């Protein structure tokens, strides 16, 4: 299944994936809505990139929503570890 999101589709998926990742990870996070959207979009790209390397996705195929949430969760975890070490 090939998912092709437009610009606004990526924003909506990013907002939902980033928001869900923040809900799943307990604790207080800095950043508001814009950071949440960027986190979700970056998570979707990370999931697509890793999935492509592993062979889960074909060239040009986007990661699914659950993969975007997992990617967002990983990025949020890395962000928290980076901020804690500063």
């Amino acid at each position: 299944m090939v998912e092709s999101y437009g610009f606004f589709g990526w924003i909506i998926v990013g907002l939902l994936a980033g928001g869900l990742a923040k809900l799943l990870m307990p604790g207080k996070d800095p950043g508001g809505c814009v950071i949440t959207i960027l986190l979700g979009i970056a998570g979707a790209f990370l999931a697509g990139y890793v999935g492509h390397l592993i062979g889960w996705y074909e060239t040009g195929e986007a990661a699914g929503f659950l993969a975007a949430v997992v990617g967002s969760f990983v990025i949020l975890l890395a962000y928290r570890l980076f901020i804690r070490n500063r």
Side-chain angles (χ1 to χ4, degrees), residues 14 17-18 21 36 39-44 46 67-77:
T36 300
L39 171 76
I41 293 171
L46 175 68
V69 172
V70 171
S72 298
F73 191 85
V74 169
I75 289 177
L76 179 59
L77 180 64

Side-chain angles (χ1 to χ4, degrees), residues 14-84:
L15 176 64
L16 295 173
L20 191 55
K22 278 190 171 186
L23 287 174
L24 292 173
M25 183 173 284
K28 187 176 180 183
D29 291 314
C33 186
V34 173
I35 298 299
T36 300
I37 292 171
L38 294 176
L39 171 76
I41 293 171
F45 280 120
L46 175 68
Y49 179 74
V50 171
H52 179 69
L53 288 177
I54 294 173
W56 291 345
Y57 304 114
E58 298 295 323
T59 302
E61 187 176 8
F65 179 73
L66 291 177
V69 172
V70 171
S72 298
F73 191 85
V74 169
I75 289 177
L76 179 59
L77 180 64
Y79 177 72
R80 282 187 178 183
L81 292 173
F82 176 75
I83 293 299
R84 183 184 306 156

